[in-house]
Structures are given as C-alpha cells and as structure tokens.
Amino acid sequence: MTLQLNDPDLLRQQAYVDGQWVDADSGATFPVIDPATGEAIAHVPRMGAAETRRAIEGAERARTAWAGLLAKERARLLRDLADAMLANADDLGTIMTAEQGKPFAEAKAEVAYAASFFEWFGEEAKRVYGETIPAPMPERRIVVLRQPIGVTVGITPWNFPSAMPTRKAAPALAVGCPMVLKPAEQTPLSALAVAVLAERVGIPAGVFSIVTGDAEDAPLIGGEMTSNPIVRKLSFTGSTEVGKLLMEQCSRTVKKVSLELGGNAPFLVFDDADLDDVIAAINVAKYRNAGQTCISANRVLVQDGIHDAFVERMVDLSRTVNVAPGFDPAATIGPLIDEPALAKVARHVEDARARGGEVLVGGGVHEQHGRTFFLPTVITGADMSWQMSNEETFGPVTAVHRFASEAEAVRTANDTPFGLAAYLFTRDHARIWRVGEALDYGMISINTGFISAAEAPFGGVKESGIGREGSHHGIEDFLEMKYLAWAGIRDAG
Ligand code: SIN
C-alpha cells in the first residue's frame, strides 16, 4: 500500500539515532500494519540494546550544549517544530490514520494537540525559576537552582501516535534534556515523522532520537533504557503491568519515573444532570478514538431517576456513530488497533451477556467492514462483578450501572485500584465539591467529556501512575533541584 503524501519524505522506514537515519544492526525489520485493511504500510528496523545504547550515548554527548542554549533559543526551535507539524498536518494525519486507524479528521486534530505541547512547553521553559530562601545564619544565603535532569527516555503507546511522543519530548527538550524515545510497535511512523521535522528545523543531533522495535525487541530496548546509568529519567505511558516492571527496573539505578498507566474511568450521571450535556460528553469520552484512550469512560454509573432516559439517548447516539475506515470522510470511529484488542472487547461483551447484561445495540463486529471494526455497544444491568467493571475495555462499549444515592456512586466509583480520570455530571454545585473531593482520581471532568490540554496536569493516582504531564507540573518532572549553601556574606566592615 502506498500512502498519498504531499511530502513523501515524511514517511520513514529507518530509525533516527544520534542524528542519523539508520537500520537495525541486524538489518531486520517488522511490518507496520494498517488496522483497517491488514496490509503492511511500511517496514521499520527491529532494534535492540546496542542501538538503544548508541542513542543514549549520543544524547549524553548532545546534553551539555543543548542545556547550555538560552531557554528562548530552545523555545524558538520548539515553536518552529510545532509550526512545521501544523504545516504538515495533512501528511501527519494521513500517516496516523494509516497506522492507527482513527478517522482522518480526528488524526489531524491529534496532530494539532501534539504540536501544542512543543509550543506550550517551549514558552513555559522560559519561566523555570530558582528560589532564595531566608537562611538561619546571618552570613548565609540559601539559593535553589532548578536544572535539567539529564538524558531522558520515553516509551509511548499506540493510541495517540503523535501526541504521546510530543507530550513527553516537549517538556524534556524545552528545559534542556535530550530524549531517546521508543514508540509503540503498532505506530512508529508518526513519531518518526516528528523526528524528520525536528531534524529539519535544526534540533541538534542526539537531542531527539527514536529507536524502533517490535514486541519481542521491546524488553531489550526497555532493558537498556532502564539499566543504562546515563539515563536519569523515564517517562512511560502504557499498561500498569509494564509500568510496574519498568519502575522496578529503574529502581536499580534510582532513576526518576513518570508513569501514565491504566485507567478505569467512572462516568457519574446524577438525576439533576443536563442530559444534552451528558450525551455530548459521552460521545467524546466513549467514542473518541473508538474508546481506546486511558481516560475513556469505562463504568457509566447513572442515578435511578435519569437512568432510563439516559439509556434511550445513549442508544440513539450509538446508532448515529458511523463505523468505517478512517479515510472514509463519513467515519466517526475506525477499527480497533489489532486482534488482541478485539479479543478483549469481545470477551468483555460475552462476560456481560453471561452475567445477565442486556445488549441494547451493537454487541459484535461490523458486518460489512469485519476485521476489528467493533460496533458501538450499549449494555445495561452492569455491576462490579463484570470483567469490564474491573479492566479497561478499550473499545466502543458502554456498560450502564444504576445507582440510588451519592454515597453509593462514590463508593462504586472508587472501588478499583486505578485512579486516572473520572467524570461527574450534576447541576448541584455543592455536590460537585463533595463528589469531586471524594473521588480518588487524578483528574475530575465536570459536566464535560474532554479534559486534555497541554496547559493542564494530566495524570493519575493509585495504580494509574506517578507524576503529571502537561502544565508547569509536567516540567517539574524533568528538573532537578540544586541547593547552594552560600557562606561568608559578612558586614562590609
Ligand atoms: C491517553 O489515553 O493516555 C491520553 C489521552 C489524552 O491525552 O487525551
């Protein structure tokens, strides 16, 4: 399959290591598959520990000069990179739809979201301030510097092939830290295209490297990233299981970690909610990216008085969702990423059926498109014994729970080891405060289904992760504090 690009040079089949476009040492490659067709759209290198080590060593060589630039010089380069991404949004969107499956309009929106991290963090890095603290002795001064942490590594998932790499690389690069990134094996092409643009705008060699590998290579690449003493920080988005393993590996060289892990987002609808707002919000929180986001509504908890009206509207909404290949201009959701994703969604639906859930719409694969094109599905009668109440479904399936009281809703919502995002719909401001404070989640979305922005601190609590991405808090994770104890400041005499 050949992609129609205005600039075919953006589609790369080599990795970008220390400023060079290179193959794997072994020459081996793996195919990148279009989930809509099952066809290979490219082949990229199967790299391992040796190539990763070279990328890290290149980052170390680039580190001092990069950190030594003025913040506004780095900001200028990142602004140029953001502009280059926006100028090439059609091509970047085409690459993304081909490798990930999401509708082209949604892919282009992700490119803009991805570019916004470079713009925002470039500006914010001009405001990395130090501190002076009143000292306990007259001839002393206490000064605190905030300096780049050093060489960093990122490992990113397939659901946001452009925005997850930039959400990690932007704060790192902005404050002066080089980054070596490994994109998901399903979607390496979008990250490689960003590297093409980074090279074009003049980001120096070694500052931003991309190593590629498939599922078998991932432990080798990850192993080098987590064991190499040069690396001072790892930022990972992916499953809780892998996050725990990486954290354990990083502990051996005491690296700083940021982890954005699994979610199991509750979506709470109280009787007094505005149903139009709720439906507009769940259209985003459930159907964006076909439900394949860490913050997708996973347990929809609806109060008795509004339950039936909600279910009716949710079924109507789901019937309007157009499941089609991402390049079809009428598509509102595309295919699931691959067969294992389909198997999980199908297993959750079967489990719900077996436990007495009523499937009101959907429930299986789209007749015409087949493959992994799953139909928008609404199931009622859910409770916490269902598999989909305890695991992220990562698909366009809504399980509706019914609740009676606020206390019951909060208890059910918090009944999980995860704590990434929660959604809350009510017009009662006192309840917004009460429930907002009681929910054990890192992000609470109030009367809206969309919370993602470069300006906001994205991240979770409990087993959903550590640290925040986005906002000035996202920059903190790439800085170290250095205390200068300054003595000998005596009277002039
Ligand atoms: C994610 O699923 O991890 C990211 C979602 C977002 O940034 O909106």
Side-chain angles (χ1 to χ4, degrees):
M1 177 187 178
T2 316
L3 294 185
Q4 298 302 315
L5 300 176
N6 300 315
D7 180 354
D9 196 40
L10 288 170
L11 181 68
R12 291 295 174 103
Q13 307 200 47
Q14 289 182 302
Y16 186 58
V17 173
D18 193 16
Q20 304 291 321
W21 291 94
V22 291
D23 297 322
D25 290 353
S26 65
T29 62
F30 66 97
V32 181
I33 304 293
D34 177 349
T37 62
E39 286 175 29
I41 47 177
H43 290 80
V44 297
R46 286 195 56 184
M47 295 185 145
E51 296 92 333
T52 308
R53 193 172 314 125
R54 282 201 289 280
I56 292 169
E57 287 166 358
E60 175 63 6
R61 280 190 297 277
R63 182 174 67 83
T64 308
W66 181 246
L69 289 182
L70 297 175
K72 71 174 183 181
E73 292 171 326
R74 289 193 301 270
R76 182 72 255 169
L77 287 166
L78 296 190
R79 178 66 203 226
D80 290 348
L81 179 50
D83 289 346
M85 289 182 71
L86 296 176
N88 290 280
D90 280 340
D91 282 350
L92 297 181
T94 300
I95 291 170
M96 194 190 302
T97 294
E99 67 177 347
Q100 203 273 348
K102 65 178 68 179
F104 180 60
E106 200 175 320
K108 276 184 70 175
E110 185 187 328
V111 171
Y113 175 46
S116 76
F117 289 105
F118 285 125
E119 180 193 339
W120 195 85
F121 278 109
E123 291 300 321
E124 186 62 13
K126 295 176 187 171
R127 286 174 280 278
V128 170
Y129 301 131
E131 260 180 291
T132 59
I133 298 177
M137 287 167 266
E139 55 39 271
R140 281 284 177 128
R141 299 293 181 270
I142 295 176
V143 178
V144 180
L145 303 183
R146 283 156 78 235
Q147 296 183 304
I149 191 165
V151 171
T152 64
V153 292
I155 302 179
T156 52
W158 50 262
N159 57 348
F160 289 89
S162 194
M164 294 305 101
T166 65
R167 188 156 81 185
K168 297 193 183 318
L173 268 52
V175 298
C177 302
M179 176 168 273
V180 177
L181 187 107
K182 183 206 169 283
E185 63 268 18
Q186 295 91 337
T187 59
L189 303 176
S190 294
L192 291 169
V194 173
V196 174
L197 298 174
E199 183 184 29
R200 278 188 199 167
V201 302
I203 305 277
V207 169
F208 184 45
S209 288
I210 309 267
V211 289
T212 54
D214 68 8
E216 234 175 88
D217 309 322
L220 304 175
I221 296 171
E224 180 62 29
M225 287 177 158
T226 54
S227 64
N228 192 313
I230 294 172
V231 174
R232 294 315 316 143
K233 178 188 165 71
L234 166 107
S235 179
F236 169 72
T237 296
S239 72
T240 296
E241 190 191 347
V242 174
K244 285 179 182 176
L245 183 69
L246 292 169
M247 188 175 176
E248 191 186 311
Q249 291 174 353
C250 282
S251 72
R252 294 175 206 150
T253 42
V254 194
K255 299 186 200 315
K256 199 163 172 178
V257 292
S258 300
L259 305 171
E260 198 246 287
L261 308 176
N264 179 2
F267 187 99
L268 276 59
V269 183
F270 286 90
D271 283 347
D272 66 340
D274 180 321
L275 203 43
D276 290 337
D277 286 352
V278 172
I279 295 301
I282 200 158
N283 191 26
V284 177
K286 185 74 253 181
Y287 291 130
R288 179 168 78 121
N289 206 7
Q292 303 173 106
T293 90
C294 300
I295 56 173
S296 292
N298 205 52
R299 290 168 296 150
V300 177
L301 315 179
V302 188
Q303 201 164 15
D304 281 334
I306 199 171
H307 177 275
D308 294 355
F310 168 82
V311 168
E312 197 181 321
R313 294 280 304 271
M314 188 65 203
V315 168
D316 289 348
L317 168 71
S318 303
R319 292 206 165 105
T320 68
V321 171
N322 189 15
V323 186
F327 288 117
D328 178 339
T332 46
I333 65 173
L336 298 174
I337 187 72
D338 54 19
E339 288 292 332
L342 174 68
K344 183 179 191 190
V345 172
R347 168 168 67 77
H348 281 187
V349 172
E350 282 327 301
D351 173 73
R353 277 200 173 103
R355 291 174 195 273
E358 192 181 351
V359 179
L360 300 180
V361 61
V365 166
H366 192 279
E367 248 182 46
Q368 182 198 340
H369 300 305
R371 299 189 52 77
T372 62
F373 287 89
F374 206 85
L375 289 169
T377 299
V378 179
I379 314 178
T380 52
D383 66 36
M384 286 303 291
S385 70
W386 291 16
Q387 287 180 8
M388 74 174 89
S389 303
N390 295 288
E391 300 170 24
E392 276 181 308
T393 299
F394 247 59
V397 178
T398 302
V400 186
H401 302 232
R402 189 191 267 273
F403 70 85
S405 70
E406 185 179 305
E408 181 192 352
V410 170
R411 204 169 43 248
T412 308
N414 285 341
D415 184 13
T416 167
F418 301 103
L420 190 57
Y423 299 82
L424 167 58
F425 293 82
T426 173
R427 282 184 270 206
D428 176 340
H429 285 248
R431 174 179 280 147
I432 289 174
W433 277 107
R434 274 195 313 271
V435 177
E437 287 171 357
L439 289 172
D440 296 333
Y441 288 83
M443 298 175 284
I444 313 289
S445 180
I446 300 160
N447 293 327
T448 173
F450 190 72
I451 57 174
S452 309
E455 293 80 354
F458 193 104
V461 299
K462 294 161 72 178
E463 294 190 23
S464 286
I466 289 181
R468 294 293 180 270
E469 297 187 290
S471 85
H472 61 283
H473 299 288
I475 259 192
E476 289 300 327
D477 268 355
F478 291 90
L479 295 169
E480 280 289 19
M481 209 181 283
K482 186 181 282 173
Y483 159 37
L484 306 185
W486 203 326
I489 303 165
R490 303 199 175 89
D491 287 347

